[in-house]
Every structure is written in structure tokens, then in C-alpha cells.
Amino acid sequence: DRSPQRFPGGCVGRMADATRAAPLSPARPPVCRWAIRIPLLAAWAVLPIPLGTTPTAAALLQLGGTPLRGGRLEGAVGLPLERASGGDTPVLPFTASGQPLRLLLDTGASMTMVLPAAAARLGLNPARHPETSITLAGGGLGCGRLRPQRVNLPTLRLTGSSATAGVLRLEGAEALVLPVAALPPGVDGVLGIPSLRQLPFAIDPRAGRVSFGSAALPSNADEASAISLPLRWKRGLPLLDLQGPRGPLPALADTGAEGLFLSPELRQTLTPLGPGQRLTLVGVCGDQPVTRLPMLGIGLPGTEPRAAEVVLTANPIFSQLGVRAILGQELLGSHRQLWRLDLPNPRLELR
């Protein structure tokens, strides 16, 4: 049966594609991953892949309208690294007005976003804006029908894992309220760049920690051993250059991306390591075809190209940002990451 089906957790796809995606271990039933958030700018989507086999990504780009306020982020905190269900994207367990508010840490989002249910739980009253005041881009043909709403967030607090681990506060920030059903279970939205660029933060998968402010800064010995990658801003998002087979490859540096996403024309310059799998992406703005396959030829600057599972997608983010790739946890996840978006010359340090 090739007709679209709905899988557990709200995933939508085709059973034939899902069962052929990858071999399953006895401990992993053949169900969809929580979501494949291919970078459709303002569109999260669902890809029919078994749990634990497919990268995910998120990017949220405001094209028009008054930019949302990032508020004031202050303090220092360290706490255990929590991942999104079935993936590697960090989740920040904030509290607001005495209620939990769990946000993805997402350097690929040019604004903060919360779900309508989270806004209602916090007692917020979004103000609907005229259609032309806030414009978003995404995959498919239905972006013009999106009706984002703007809201003032209450003070958010992120408390450390011990009495001495500190507190992080975010005050005066704005968010968009969007009905994005494909976020991971138990996640209420994303924390975007306008707030994240105010303080240094570190993601340490080896120690299982995430930290902000002075708690994120390394010792002198650790600093000497780091690979420092310069970042540059484009439309409010951080870009860097990957090492491609024919020279530098401009990419969006996205903590919210589970994998490595490439423009389709790059397929001709890389070495395939297996057959590709054609899949249908069901996005907020409509359907989008993608191809998933293992390839060799992409690496971080200063490192040898390595084998990686990539997703080829004709995605609007490439032309909007002038990039050809979206760098996520497929290449970043094995490194301790120090993000210095707070500096005049921003950089990403990897250890």
C-alpha cells in the first residue's frame, strides 16, 4: 500500500518508505521519528523514517515585518544536557510564570517561537497581525496562508542542577505563536538567535552538560586546544564555511539541525557510499521531495572529509541565505561546542 499513512506520534508518510529506510533492532519498533524538521525556514515537517535513523533540522527565518525583540539574557548557569526525543538537539527546561516552558536551543532560528498551547498555558494573549506585517518563507505552496501571531513572553528562568550552578534569566523577549505540530513531544517551541547571541554558551556532549554565560567559558588549557571557526552573519543567522571537495562550502551553522542538509547540485561533487532513498516531506506549507543517502566529501575546516548521512533538498533557505548546506549535529555532535555569538567577530570553537 503506497497511500499516505499516519504513524504513532502524528507522523505522516508512506509505510513502504518507512520500512525500507533502515534495518531495525529488536529494541526499536518501526515507528516514525518525532519529526523531521527539514529547514523549511518557517516550516517544520514530518519525514517517514524509523526512530533513530534520520537527522532532523529546524530553521526559522523572518523575511518581512518588524524584527522580534530578543529581550535581555543575563546570568550564568550549567545543567545536564537534555536532548529532544529521538535526537541530539538540546532542550532548555525554562520556567515562566510558575509553568514549564521547554524550548529547543536553535541557532538556525532568527526568532523565538512557541506553540499556541504553550501560550495559552502561560496566560498570554497573542495579537494577530495583518497578513503583510510578518512574512515567513517555507517549503511548499501554502506559506501565504500562515497567520503568525506576536506575543510578549514573561520572564523565563533556567535554573542550574545544583544550588551553586546558577540561574539564567530572559526578560522582555518576544515570540511568534505558530501551530507547529511536528515539534518533538514535550517541547513547546524554540529559543532563537536574538536571545542566544547575547551570551556565550557551550554544548558538551562528552560531559553531558549545557552552560551559559561565564559557566560556558573554558580554562586556558582547553582554549589552546580548540579549533576556532569564524562565523559571519546573514539575515540574522550565523554562517560558516565547510570543507568541500572543491573548496569552501558556505553553510548555516544550526544547533537545531540533527543532520547535514545539502543543495541537490552538490550530489555531483561528492562520493556516494550507498543508494539514495527518495522520500516525501510533508511540511507546513505543503509537500517537498528529499533524498537521503550516505556520502563522502564534506568536513569541518581543518579536518579530513568524513562519511556522513546527508539529506538532499531543494530548500528555500539556500537561496535566502546564499548557502549550499546546513550544518547540524551530524558533524557537530561529537565535539564540545563553544558558541561565541556575543563577540563582535563571532566564532564557534570545537574541541
Side-chain angles (χ1 to χ4, degrees):
D1 181 7
R2 299 286 294 175
S3 61
Q5 301 184 33
R6 185 168 295 275
F7 298 105
C11 294
V12 178
R14 302 183 188 277
M15 180 62 75
D17 291 337
T19 55
R20 285 204 309 267
L24 297 174
S25 66
R28 283 181 171 170
V31 297
C32 271
R33 192 165 195 176
W34 52 264
I36 287 296
R37 293 177 300 108
I38 303 293
L40 301 179
L41 305 184
W44 280 260
V46 178
L47 197 61
I49 302 294
L51 182 66
T53 64
T54 302
T56 66
L60 183 64
L61 184 61
Q62 182 178 350
L63 299 179
T66 304
L68 273 67
R69 297 192 309 271
R72 184 173 68 256
L73 189 68
E74 59 184 9
V77 70
L79 65 159
L81 175 59
E82 184 178 348
R83 304 287 198 177
S85 176
D88 289 321
T89 303
V91 178
L92 302 176
F94 286 100
T95 58
S97 303
Q99 298 289 326
L101 186 69
R102 295 165 52 79
L103 303 178
L104 299 179
L105 193 166
D106 193 354
T107 61
S110 66
M111 69 195 72
T112 293
M113 182 279 295
V114 296
L115 297 174
R121 188 174 68 243
L122 296 177
L124 306 179
N125 296 308
R128 185 175 297 278
H129 283 243
E131 180 179 354
T132 57
S133 67
I134 296 178
T135 56
L136 306 171
L141 303 176
C143 284
R145 294 190 293 270
L146 292 178
R147 296 294 183 269
Q149 297 173 288
R150 197 174 191 133
V151 69
N152 293 316
L153 292 175
T155 298
L156 308 187
R157 292 172 59 89
L158 186 63
T159 304
S161 54
S162 68
T164 60
V167 176
L168 188 74
R169 291 176 298 277
L170 177 60
E171 299 178 340
E174 290 183 300
L176 282 189
V177 179
L178 286 172
V180 179
L183 284 175
V187 170
D188 299 307
V190 302
L191 182 68
I193 278 291
S195 301
L196 291 174
R197 66 185 297 172
Q198 299 181 39
L199 290 176
F201 63 91
I203 303 168
D204 189 342
R206 299 173 192 171
R209 302 281 293 178
V210 61
S211 50
F212 284 83
S214 59
L217 298 178
S219 65
N220 290 336
D222 285 342
E223 191 169 8
S225 64
I227 299 174
S228 183
L229 307 180
L231 301 172
R232 59 189 181 275
W233 295 107
K234 181 69 175 291
R235 305 196 77 154
L237 293 176
L239 309 185
L240 54 69
D241 288 327
L242 293 175
Q243 182 67 38
R246 298 180 182 176
L249 190 67
L252 169 64
D254 188 357
T255 56
E258 293 287 353
L260 178 60
F261 298 83
L262 303 179
S263 182
E265 66 268 15
L266 291 177
R267 185 171 189 169
Q268 307 303 319
T269 68
L270 304 175
T271 303
L273 301 177
Q277 182 187 18
R278 296 178 63 83
L279 300 168
T280 297
L281 181 81
V282 182
V284 173
C285 298
D287 294 353
Q288 180 178 351
V290 299
T291 301
R292 188 189 71 165
L293 73 167
M295 304 195 81
L296 177 67
I298 299 290
L300 294 167
T303 67
E304 291 294 326
R306 49 160 287 191
E309 184 181 75
V310 306
V311 175
L312 301 176
T313 171
N315 194 304
I317 199 169
F318 298 123
S319 59
Q320 293 289 347
L321 296 179
V323 300
R324 303 179 71 192
I326 298 169
L327 169 66
Q329 299 301 328
E330 178 72 14
L331 296 184
L332 292 174
S334 61
H335 296 275
R336 290 180 289 175
Q337 308 161 35
L338 174 61
W339 294 80
R340 297 305 311 267
L341 304 177
D342 57 308
L343 298 176
N345 297 311
R347 65 178 185 264
L348 169 62
E349 296 180 7
L350 301 178
R351 294 168 177 82

